[in-house]
Amino acid sequence: MLTILMDFRFCLIAIIAYFCFSTFSYASDTKTLRIGVLAFAHTEAVLSRWQPTITRLETDLDTPVQLVVLTPTELDEAVEQKTVDFIITNALTAVSYKKDHGTSSLLTLVPLMSSNPAFAVGSALVTHQELEVNSVTDLSQLKVVSTDRKAFGGFQIFAGQMAQQGLNPFDDFKQLDFVGFPQNKLLSMIEAGDTDIAILPTCVLENAIKHREISATTLKVVLTKPSTELKCQSSSKLYPYYSFSKLGKTDHRLATKVIKSLLSIHATDDAAFYGRYDSWSATVNDSSVFKLLRQLQQWPFVTNWTSIFKTALPWVIAGFIFLFLGYLHHLRVKRLVVLRTHDLKSEIYQHKMTQDALFTQTEQFYKAQRVLLTGEMASGIAHELNQPLAGIRYLTQGCIYRLSAEQTELKEAMTKAIQQVDRAQETIQRFRNFCHQPSVMSHCNINMILDDTLTLMAAEFSRVKLNPQLTLENIGITGDASLLQQVFVNIIRNALDAMEDVAKPQLFITMALVGDQVKIEFTDNGKGLLPQELERLFFPFETSKKNGLGLGMIICKRIIEEHHGEISACNNRDIGLTLTITLPLE
């Protein structure tokens, strides 16, 4: 008897403990339930529609229930952070959350206008009665509006239908605008002529006609598809209606109570009347929505940026590390370049100092050499040539005096002959005094000097059938015109010698102003120079000609340097040589 009493007391304690813990567990379940609802329209309209349903749940569950109206972005954050227990969304959003966040669809809403909740919502293309639209391609020349690019019953369904045909509403419509809610505003835009087509959910037009908001003869639905399940016209395939889902964290026992409460709602109840639905049913087959979701994932307006970010984050970090290591390598190479540049500058400086010393010695040598070579020749040449030139001048002048006034052309030719005689005498005199006095510097025009040079060498150009290509500018400098002309003659004659065996010789002379200097280039298509010949081009007694003395280019270099300029040469990429002269303007 004592044993039986002890067992009875033990069982009583266990029963009391069970009910205590059950009470505690239920107390934990009596916290406020949060039900998020997807809303595109104004918050007040959504609250007025769904609040009676929430009130019904509070009554049946004896638990406080909060309705949370959320935009698509806010609903994404709420599901991600699990701040709601249940959600009421369209079928596409429910399927997307099921795939990305593991939510579970519990019920499907049964609409008033359909007997089957699996075929309850689609897209309707609404337009004027007079407008004829026979295919989707006819929309390419029309203005189209919709409420929102994320609106399932409307734009997204029709976008999926276009994707099946290889079309894109953002590219294949003449104009596509999203004008927001309310939906009836789009019907008014069609009536006012502000747009041609409105993409709306099914039944919007029928409800507007039913409530006498528009005339039944004004607007119509085009590209309709036959349906026995829906009482409204649809331009697309039909999909399931609103879905009621729970998050993974929500207790299954609580979900069972909520399901029982919603399934008990009938069409005559206030919750169904204000919610504009018939009832709730078990969840329907949503495989068609999965197919639509796969189609729309090709489109920019449904891209899951959160998922993409999580997937790409490791690659971004790896890329950043790679770039950082690359930057460190760049800094190391840059440091080595700086050190090497410093060493090269030091070597160049030492080389320049050596070159300057060599230049000074060479200049002194060639000044003396010039005196030795030309001193004796100058007097003899001047004596032998001045008398014949003077005779030519006097005879020509006498001829001019004997010409009549009508013989202007001959007189002009005689005058030019006298000018050339004077030029020859001036050249002979300058040659005679070359070693005894510096050059005569005055303002001269490079363009005119080149013109005179080309005139003097016209006979040689004709011999080789060459027409020099000129790109000149009117630039004046301070220099000795006669000496510069000698430089130009020497360079051009060397170019002609180099092009002796060329079938079609070409000579380009270009002149350009570069800062405070004038740059003159002589480019030919001759045989060019070997690297060793190019290096010693401006050295004395270096020549590639059989009978040359090797003094022509060194004399040119001295004349240019006497004008504080520079002369250089380089082989062209293909054939030929380019000689470049730079002279200061002053």
Side-chain angles (χ1 to χ4, degrees):
M1 183 67 180
L2 181 61
T3 302
I4 294 173
L5 182 60
M6 290 292 291
D7 290 339
F8 176 76
R9 291 175 61 186
F10 178 80
C11 291
L12 183 62
I13 293 172
I15 292 171
I16 293 172
Y18 172 79
F19 278 104
C20 288
F21 283 107
S22 296
T23 303
F24 176 78
S25 176
Y26 177 78
S28 66
D29 288 341
T30 58
K31 67 182 182 66
T32 300
L33 298 182
R34 289 170 56 86
I35 299 179
V37 59
L38 177 63
F40 291 94
H42 300 295
T43 303
E44 296 78 10
V46 178
L47 286 172
S48 64
R49 179 181 184 184
W50 293 106
Q51 188 58 50
T53 303
I54 300 302
T55 303
R56 176 66 176 266
L57 286 175
E58 287 182 325
T59 302
D60 292 347
L61 301 180
D62 193 23
T63 301
V65 181
Q66 180 185 1
L67 178 64
V68 185
V69 181
L70 301 169
T71 63
T73 302
E74 293 172 343
L75 186 61
D76 290 342
E77 295 176 356
V79 173
E80 176 75 24
Q81 299 172 7
K82 297 180 173 59
T83 58
V84 293
D85 302 295
F86 300 93
I87 53 173
I88 301 174
T89 66
N90 59 56
L92 184 67
T93 305
V95 166
S96 178
Y97 288 157
K98 183 188 299 185
K99 179 175 69 72
D100 296 335
H101 302 289
T103 61
S104 301
S105 297
L106 304 177
L107 299 173
T108 301
L109 193 65
V110 181
L112 294 173
M113 304 295 287
S114 176
S115 59
N116 189 345
F119 304 96
V121 63
S123 294
L125 299 182
V126 183
T127 185
H128 280 287
Q129 286 284 355
E130 297 80 9
L131 185 61
E132 291 295 330
V133 179
N134 299 315
S135 65
V136 177
T137 55
D138 292 341
L139 304 176
S140 61
Q141 301 301 320
L142 301 178
K143 296 180 181 178
V144 181
V145 295
S146 189
T147 52
D148 192 280
R149 64 177 59 199
K150 291 188 177 181
F152 172 60
F155 181 72
Q156 286 192 321
I157 291 178
F158 193 72
Q161 181 171 304
M162 292 187 67
Q164 291 179 341
Q165 303 179 34
L167 301 175
N168 186 328
F170 294 101
D171 297 332
D172 297 318
F173 288 156
K174 176 181 179 182
Q175 180 178 337
L176 175 62
D177 296 314
F178 297 97
V179 297
F181 293 84
Q183 295 168 340
N184 288 357
K185 176 176 65 174
L186 280 68
L187 301 177
S188 301
M189 292 179 64
I190 300 175
E191 289 184 312
D194 296 332
T195 187
D196 300 316
I197 293 282
I199 305 177
L200 289 167
T202 50
C203 299
V204 172
L205 177 60
E206 287 81 357
N207 288 332
I209 295 174
K210 179 180 178 180
H211 293 92
R212 298 182 178 180
E213 296 176 357
I214 64 169
S215 172
T217 60
T218 305
L219 306 179
K220 66 178 179 179
V221 178
V222 295
L223 302 182
T224 58
K225 295 182 179 297
S227 173
T228 58
E229 290 86 0
L230 188 64
K231 299 177 184 179
C232 304
Q233 290 182 312
S234 176
S235 304
S236 69
K237 180 180 176 181
L238 298 178
Y239 293 87
Y241 205 41
Y242 279 95
S243 174
F244 186 83
S245 306
K246 84 173 187 70
L247 272 67
K249 72 179 183 67
T250 306
D251 185 73
H252 68 281
R253 293 171 296 175
L254 177 61
T256 302
K257 295 178 182 180
V258 172
I259 292 172
K260 288 180 180 180
S261 176
L262 293 177
L263 288 176
S264 66
I265 298 176
H266 300 289
T268 57
D269 295 339
D270 289 345
F273 176 77
Y274 288 104
R276 301 193 298 278
Y277 60 85
D278 181 83
S279 60
W280 291 90
S281 74
T283 186
V284 297
N285 184 2
D286 54 7
S287 60
S288 61
V289 184
F290 269 104
K291 292 179 181 179
L292 178 64
L293 180 63
R294 283 195 295 270
Q295 292 169 350
L296 293 179
Q297 280 179 335
Q298 304 172 12
W299 301 62
F301 47 80
V302 292
T303 303
N304 192 336
W305 294 110
T306 303
S307 176
I308 292 176
F309 176 77
K310 289 181 179 178
T311 304
L313 183 60
W315 294 99
V316 172
I317 295 175
F320 177 79
I321 294 174
F322 178 78
L323 291 176
F324 181 71
L325 294 176
Y327 180 70
L328 292 179
H329 177 69
H330 166 72
L331 293 179
R332 176 178 174 275
V333 172
K334 185 177 180 180
R335 177 61 180 169
L336 293 176
V337 170
V338 170
L339 294 176
R340 181 57 181 161
T341 302
H342 181 269
D343 294 341
L344 288 174
K345 286 182 177 179
S346 178
E347 293 178 9
I348 291 172
Y349 177 75
Q350 295 295 331
H351 177 73
K352 187 175 183 302
M353 295 297 293
T354 304
Q355 189 179 31
D356 290 343
L358 179 61
F359 174 77
T360 301
Q361 294 176 359
T362 304
E363 186 178 25
Q364 293 175 353
F365 168 77
Y366 282 107
K367 281 184 178 180
Q369 186 72 10
R370 182 172 58 185
V371 173
L372 293 175
L373 291 174
T374 62
E376 293 296 328
M377 298 172 58
S379 297
I381 293 174
H383 177 75
E384 294 296 331
L385 293 181
N386 275 333
Q387 287 185 356
L389 289 174
I392 293 171
R393 191 181 194 287
Y394 294 143
L395 291 173
T396 304
Q397 188 68 47
C399 290
I400 292 174
Y401 292 151
R402 289 172 173 80
L403 291 175
S404 63
E406 290 79 10
Q407 296 176 305
T408 55
E409 293 183 359
L410 186 57
K411 183 181 294 186
E412 183 179 349
M414 292 291 186
T415 303
K416 289 184 178 181
I418 292 175
Q419 291 176 354
Q420 294 302 319
V421 170
D422 293 339
R423 182 187 293 273
Q425 288 179 330
E426 180 184 351
T427 301
I428 293 171
Q429 185 64 31
R430 186 174 300 281
F431 178 67
R432 181 179 181 181
N433 300 327
F434 185 76
C435 301
H436 306 288
Q437 64 184 30
S439 303
V440 179
M441 298 293 181
S442 61
H443 182 78
C444 57
N445 189 292
I446 296 292
N447 198 349
M448 294 180 61
I449 297 175
L450 281 170
D451 284 340
D452 292 342
T453 302
L454 296 175
T455 302
L456 290 174
M457 302 190 68
E460 296 191 43
F461 292 151
S462 299
R463 178 178 59 83
V464 298
K465 298 180 180 180
L466 172 65
N467 184 22
Q469 303 297 313
L470 308 178
T471 304
L472 306 179
E473 295 186 20
N474 190 18
I475 300 175
I477 67 168
T478 300
D480 191 311
S482 296
L483 291 181
L484 290 175
Q485 190 177 56
Q486 292 178 28
V487 172
F488 298 156
V489 168
N490 193 29
I491 292 174
I492 294 174
R493 183 169 286 118
N494 287 342
L496 294 177
D497 293 339
M499 296 186 291
E500 206 167 38
D501 300 325
V502 177
K504 294 182 178 180
Q506 291 180 329
L507 178 63
F508 298 89
I509 303 176
T510 61
M511 181 169 58
L513 191 62
V514 181
D516 57 351
Q517 292 182 324
V518 57
K519 181 179 179 182
I520 310 168
E521 289 185 345
F522 299 82
T523 303
D524 64 63
N525 63 339
K527 59 185 178 181
L529 295 175
L530 298 175
Q532 57 269 25
E533 293 175 342
L534 192 62
E535 290 179 1
R536 302 185 63 82
L537 178 62
F538 298 102
F539 280 67
F541 307 113
E542 296 288 338
T543 180
S544 58
K545 300 177 183 179
K546 293 182 179 180
N547 300 319
L549 294 177
L551 295 175
M553 293 309 297
I554 189 64
I555 291 174
C556 290
K557 186 172 188 294
R558 298 297 175 233
I559 293 174
I560 295 301
E561 289 176 347
E562 190 173 352
H563 285 75
H564 306 290
E566 295 180 359
I567 183 171
S568 61
C570 65
N571 284 317
N572 301 329
R573 289 186 177 181
D574 41 11
I575 55 174
L577 186 77
T578 295
L579 259 159
T580 304
I581 297 174
T582 57
L583 295 169
L585 297 180
E586 297 296 337

